[in-house]
Amino acid sequence: MDKETLLTGFKKELGEPSANGYLGDTGVTTRTLDKYVDALLPTIATDDSVNEQFFKSHAEVVRAMGGQMRFEQAEFVRNYKPKPGTVPPEPPVELKPKPGEPGNDDVLKRLEALEKEREIERKNFVVREMRSRVSNKSGELKVTNKNLWEDSVRMVEYEDGMDDTAMEAKAKGLYESKLKAYMGEGASPYGGGSSGSQDQDDKALDDFFNRKVLEGKFPGKK
């Protein structure tokens, strides 16, 4: 049995990829189905066993897996609160084959690899959302240079267990240090400057970069 035959049969049952990348209404992407088929191939003893009922029964497993993945993603985003020294927990997977049964050990290994990829994707999503929230605090913090603040937030290196408060503290350190380096010790990082002082700060920062371009230390605009 070849892989393409299996993929074609599953797509007939599940549907073709839609605009959101999922196969029909399954919540499963082509990439996930591809990995599922890779795990399934070694367990197929004969081509005769791959019939209409085979595709229907495995399609139900794939749909259930997609539903479980969507549920876990929603629950994870809603409930995840990082604690110092911890990483996002691995959600339960109810659809794993039982170890020890013929052909299932290889399936388990492949599905575990897929779960690790999903875990990385969940963690990256959490970090992106955290950066967005901290970046959007420029108004609340009354930073005097919004662009430099946003750059500083992007430069913060995420550490396991970091929350919004910790990321904000790291960003403040970077922001204050860079503002002083660019504009001198007298530069005010926060507070209450008028729009006039904001314009002056922006102009001073622009002048700094222009000087560095003229000195050949920064690339000029093309």
Side-chain angles (χ1 to χ4, degrees):
M1 177 57 57
D2 63 276
K3 183 176 179 178
E4 287 305 316
T5 299
L6 285 177
L7 287 172
T8 299
F10 276 121
K11 288 179 181 179
K12 286 181 180 178
E13 288 290 331
L14 301 172
E16 292 293 330
S18 57
N20 60 15
Y22 295 128
L23 296 166
D25 59 356
T26 63
V28 171
T29 64
T30 301
R31 181 184 178 192
T32 300
L33 177 63
D34 189 80
K35 288 183 176 290
Y36 182 80
V37 169
D38 281 340
L40 193 60
L41 268 170
T43 70
I44 299 173
T46 65
D47 289 359
D48 293 340
S49 64
V50 181
N51 51 31
E52 184 177 352
Q53 184 56 43
F54 172 92
F55 284 116
K56 286 185 180 297
S57 61
H58 280 282
E60 288 305 311
V61 174
V62 173
R63 288 192 181 94
M65 183 169 62
Q68 180 77 1
M69 290 167 67
R70 285 182 294 186
F71 172 77
E72 289 172 3
Q73 179 75 5
E75 286 295 296
F76 183 86
V77 173
R78 182 162 58 249
N79 298 324
Y80 172 59
K81 294 180 180 179
K83 295 180 181 179
T86 64
V87 296
E90 181 177 352
V93 178
E94 305 296 339
L95 298 170
K96 285 183 178 179
K98 295 180 180 179
E101 295 181 357
N104 280 353
D105 288 341
D106 187 51
V107 175
L108 277 168
K109 290 179 182 178
R110 292 173 183 270
L111 290 181
E112 284 170 1
L114 178 59
E115 287 162 24
K116 287 180 181 178
E117 289 185 17
R118 289 170 51 203
E119 179 61 32
I120 292 172
E121 290 174 359
R122 280 194 298 271
K123 184 175 179 180
N124 289 341
F125 176 81
V126 169
V127 175
R128 285 197 302 271
E129 290 296 298
M130 187 184 299
R131 287 194 196 280
S132 177
R133 290 192 299 271
V134 174
S135 183
N136 289 337
K137 294 189 73 173
S138 58
E140 177 184 334
L141 295 172
K142 297 181 180 179
V143 301
T144 55
N145 194 293
K146 183 179 178 182
N147 291 336
L148 185 58
W149 168 256
E150 291 174 351
D151 285 343
S152 299
V153 174
R154 284 192 289 269
M155 292 176 65
V156 173
E157 184 175 349
Y158 177 81
E159 300 172 357
D160 288 337
M162 180 178 281
D163 58 11
D164 289 27
T165 301
M167 180 172 284
E168 181 183 325
K170 291 273 189 180
K172 282 182 176 179
L174 288 168
Y175 168 67
E176 292 165 9
S177 174
K178 289 184 177 299
L179 193 68
K180 288 180 181 179
Y182 294 160
M183 297 171 25
E185 289 294 332
S188 175
Y190 312 99
S194 65
S195 60
S197 65
Q198 173 69 66
D199 291 342
Q200 291 173 0
D201 287 345
D202 288 344
K203 183 177 184 302
L205 192 58
D206 288 341
D207 289 344
F208 171 83
F209 280 112
N210 289 334
R211 287 198 305 273
K212 294 301 179 183
V213 170
L214 292 174
E215 293 169 4
K217 295 181 179 179
F218 287 172
K221 294 182 179 178
K222 296 181 179 180

